[in-house]
C-alpha cells in the first residue's frame, strides 16, 4: 500500500475509512496532494476527479442524496475552496451529508503574500454544522476533531468542514502506516413521542373537522403504505403532496397549484384548516404558502427528527421523530369523525382536472404543452431530476407515474448546480436518469458535462425558451431592453455544440409531433448520454400559462 508521508493526511484517510466514508470527489491541486495520494492509492475508496470545484460540490451532493451517506470533497488551498459554497448551502438546507476536506497553508503563511492563500478557517460558518481547523502535527486532539466532524455529518445530515494545513514537501510517500488513532462511536438519540403529547394532541385531532397534511420533499419509499392508507381513509383529513414528495395515493391531491390558484376569498376561508401537519423538506408551491400564511390554521405541527422551519409563521409543535415512528405511535389514538372536508376538496379537484384536460387539448405548443408531453412520455422506473425555476413549477402541474423517483435541489432553490447534481445522482444510483432543465440553468452549469463518469443511460431534456422564462410569469414583467437583458437574460444559444464537444447524442423538437418523435429516439438508445432540446415560443409561454389558470375557474 502507498501512503502519503505526512502523518496528518494518513490520519484523515484512515478515519474516513473507519467511518465508512468511501466516496471521494477530488479537484486537482498541489496543496491537497497528500490527501489525493492517500485516497487514490487505497482500493477501498471510490475516487472521482472533477476539475471545477463548484460542479464537484454539486456532483458530491447528488451522490450523497442517493446513497444517504456522507461524500467527501477534497480541494487545494485558496479560492478553490470557496467554489464549494453553493453546494454546501444546498446540502445545509436539504439535510444532505457532505464532508469538505480542504488543504491549507500552515498558519504562519496566511496573510503574508504567499500564493494561493486565503483565510480558510470557518469560511462556511453560516451554512455548515461543524467547522474544524486542524493543527499541523498529528495529535489526539486532531483525531477527536476529525471523528466529531464526520459523526455530526452522519447524525445531523448536513455539511461539515475540515481544514487541514500541510507544509511542503507534499508528494513524498511511504509504504508504512505511521499513525495510530481511535474511532469514536456515533451517539444516536432514540426519540419517542411522549405519552403526554399523545393524549393532548390526539384529543385536539379528534375534535378537528379540518386537518390538512402537507408533504414537502421526501425520499422515495420513505413512508409506509399503511400510514398513507389510514390518512386517506379519514373524511376530516386532506393530504396534499408535491412532485418532490414521492408519495402516491389515489386519494391524495398531487397537483396543488391547479387546485389552489382559482380560489376566492370565501372558498379560502371555508377550506382553511384547523390543524396543519407537515413533514418532509421544502415546499415548492408559492400558492399553498400564500394560502396558509394568510388563512392561518390554529395549529401547525411539523414532524422531523432534526429541524422544523416556521414556513407559515405559526408553528406550534415540533415532533422530533421520524414520520413513520410518529404515525405508528399517534394514529392508533385518533378517531374517525364526521366531516365533509375531504369530499369538498375532492369535488373541486375533480372539476379542476376536467378543465385542465380541456385547456391542454386546445392550447398551441408552448412550455405548458411541452411539459404535458414530456411527463407523459417518461419511461417507468427511472430517476427524474428536475432543475429549479420554471422546470419544477411546470412539473408540479402534472401527475407523474408512481414508479418514477423525483428529486430537485429545493434547499436553496438555485439553478446553479442542477445538472451536476443530476449527474452525481446518476453515478450513485445506477438507474436510468433523466434531467428536465431550462436553458439558463443548463448553460449556467455547463461545466457539469466536463465529467468522465456520465452514465450512458443519462438523458437531459432541455426546455429552451430563449431566456429566463420564469421572469415573464412573475409580477413586474414588461417588454423592455432592461427586462430582456437583466431579468430574462435573452439569448440565441443552443446546446448543439456543447453536445458535440462532450459526446452527447443530440435531438431537437419544436412542436408536439416532433417532440413525440424525439422522445422515442431519446429513450430508444442507451449507447451514449443524450440531450433533447425543446424550443418553445419565448413571448407566448407566460400568456398561455396565465390563461391556463384563468380557465381553471
Amino acid at each position: 500500500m502507498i501512503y502519503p508521508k505526512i502523518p496528518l493526511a494518513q490520519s484523515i484517510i484512515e478515519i474516513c475509512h473507519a467511518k465508512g466514508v468511501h466516496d471521494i470527489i477530488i479537484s486537482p491541486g498541489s496543496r491537497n496532494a497528500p490527501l489525493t495520494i492517500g485516497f487514490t492509492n487505497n482500493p477501498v475508496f471510490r475516487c472521482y476527479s472533477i476539475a471545477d470545484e463548484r460542479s464537484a460540490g454539486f456532483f458530491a451532493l447528488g451522490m450523497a442524496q442517493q446513497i444517504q451517506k456522507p461524500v467527501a470533497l477534497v480541494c487545494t488551498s485558496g479560492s478553490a475552496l470557496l467554489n464549494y459554497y453553493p453546494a454546501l448551502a444546498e446540502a445545509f438546507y436539504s439535510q444532505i451529508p457532505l464532508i469538505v476536506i480542504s488543504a491549507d497553508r500552515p498558519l504562519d503563511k496566511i496573510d503574508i503574500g504567499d500564493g494561493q492563500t486565503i483565510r480558510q478557517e470557518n469560511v462556511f460558518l453560516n451554512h455548515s454544522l461543524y467547522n474544524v481547523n486542524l493543527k499541523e502535527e498529528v495529535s489526539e486532539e486532531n483525531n477527536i476533531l476529525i471523528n466529531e466532524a464526520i459523526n455530526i455529518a452522519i447524525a445531523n445530515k448536513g455539511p461539515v468542514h475540515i481544514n487541514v494545513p500541510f507544509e511542503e514537501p507534499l508528494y513524498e510517500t511511504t509504504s508504512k502506516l505511521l499513525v495510530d488513532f481511535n474511532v469514536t462511536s456515533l451517539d444516536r438519540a432514540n426519540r419517542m413521542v411522549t405519552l403526554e403529547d399523545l393524549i393532548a394532541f390526539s384529543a385536539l385531532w379528534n375534535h378537528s373537522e379540518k386537518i390538512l397534511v402537507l408533504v414537502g420533499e421526501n425520499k422515495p419509499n420513505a413512508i409506509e403504505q399503511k400510514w398513507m392508507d389510514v390518512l386517506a381513509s379519514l373524511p376530516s383529513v386532506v393530504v396534499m403532496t408535491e412532485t418532490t414528495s414521492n408519495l402516491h395515493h389515489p386519494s391524495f391531491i398531487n397537483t396543488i397549484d391547479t387546485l389552489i390558484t382559482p380560489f376566492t376569498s370565501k372558498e379560502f376561508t371555508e377550506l382553511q384548516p384547523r390543524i396543519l401537519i407537515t413533514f418532509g423538506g421544502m415546499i415548492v408551491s408559492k400558492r399553498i404558502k400564500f394560502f396558509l400564511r394568510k388563512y392561518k390554521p390554529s395549529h401547525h405541527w411539523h414532524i422531523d427528527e432534526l429541524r422544523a422551519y416556521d414556513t407559515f409563521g405559526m408553528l406550534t409543535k415540533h415532533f422530533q421523530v421520524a414520520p413513520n415512528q410518529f404515525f405508528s405511535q399517534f394514529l392508533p389514538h385518533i378517531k374517525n369523525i364526521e366531516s365533509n372536508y375531504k369530499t369538498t376538496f375532492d369535488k373541486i379537484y375533480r372539476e379542476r382536472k376536467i378543465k385542465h384536460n380541456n385547456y391542454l387539448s386546445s392550447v398551441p405548443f408552448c412550455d405548458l404543452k411541452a411539459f404535458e408531453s414530456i411527463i407523459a412520455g417518461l419511461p417507468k422506473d427511472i430517476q427524474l431530476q428536475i432543475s429549479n425555476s420554471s422546470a419544477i413549477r411546470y412539473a408540479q402541474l402534472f401527475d407523474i407515474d408512481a414508479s418514477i423517483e423525483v428529486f430537485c435541489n429545493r434547499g436553496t432553490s438555485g439553478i446553479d448546480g442542477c445538472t451536476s447534481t443530476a449527474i452525481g445522482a446518476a453515478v450513485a444510483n445506477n438507474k436510468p436518469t433523466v434531467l428536465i432543465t431550462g436553458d439558463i440553468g443548463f448553460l449556467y452549469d455547463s461545466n457539469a458535462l466536463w465529467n468522465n463518469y456520465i452514465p450512458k443511460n443519462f438523458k437531459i431534456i432541455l426546455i429552451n425558451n430563449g431566456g429566463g422564462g420564469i421572469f415573464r410569469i412573475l409580477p413586474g414583467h414588461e417588454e423592455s431592453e432592461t427586462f430582456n437583458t437583466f431579468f430574462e437574460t435573452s439569448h440565441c444559444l443552443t446546446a448543439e455544440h456543447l453536445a458535440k464537444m462532450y459526446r452527447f447524442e443530440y435531438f431537437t423538437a419544436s412542436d408536439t409531433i416532433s417532440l413525440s418523435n424525439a422522445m422515442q429516439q431519446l429513450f430508444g438508445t442507451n449507447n451514449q448520454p443524450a440531450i433533447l432540446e425543446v424550443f418553445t415560443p419565448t413571448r407566448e409561454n407566460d400568456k398561455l400559462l396565465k390563461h391556463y389558470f384563468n380557465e381553471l375557474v
Side-chain angles (χ1 to χ4, degrees), residues 93-134:
Y93 287 109
S94 289
Q95 297 183 215
I96 294 175
L98 292 181
I99 300 168
V100 169
I101 308 173
S102 58
D104 199 359
R105 298 298 203 265
L107 191 59
D108 62 352
K109 299 289 177 65
I110 309 301
D111 286 342
I112 65 168
D114 217 24
Q116 213 168 333
T117 306
I118 63 170
R119 300 171 188 175
Q120 294 185 196
E121 294 188 4
N122 303 320
V123 294
F124 303 124
L125 189 61
N126 286 336
H127 295 95
S128 56
L129 301 179
Y130 192 76
N131 294 269
V132 53
N133 303 287
L134 302 181

Side-chain angles (χ1 to χ4, degrees), residues 153-167:
I154 295 169
N156 294 345
K157 300 178 184 177
V160 298
H161 176 206
I162 303 171
N163 194 53
V164 192
F166 290 132
E167 184 56 279

Side-chain angles (χ1 to χ4, degrees), residues 242-304:
E242 297 206 298
T243 300
T244 56
S245 298
N246 288 298
L247 284 187
H248 301 273
H249 195 284
S251 296
F252 292 175
I253 292 170
N254 57 0
T255 55
I256 298 172
D257 287 351
T258 62
L259 174 81
I260 292 289
T261 296
F263 280 168
T264 63
S265 296
K266 181 183 177 182
E267 287 173 317
F268 273 131
T269 302
E270 289 175 350
L271 296 169
Q272 177 181 6
R274 185 182 184 212
I275 300 175
L276 169 67
I277 300 173
T278 57
F279 62 92
M282 303 296 190
I283 299 296
V284 175
S285 173
K286 294 177 72 173
R287 292 172 171 86
I288 194 68
K289 290 177 188 175
F290 167 83
F291 170 35
L292 294 170
R293 286 167 179 167
K294 187 171 182 179
Y295 301 88
K296 293 182 183 295
S298 301
H299 309 275
H300 174 199
W301 312 341
H302 186 71
I303 308 164
D304 188 279

Side-chain angles (χ1 to χ4, degrees), residues 479-491:
E479 211 64 56
S480 66
E481 184 177 347
T482 296
F483 173 82
N484 293 340
T485 302
F486 295 102
F487 288 93
E488 186 182 36
T489 323
S490 299
H491 66 86

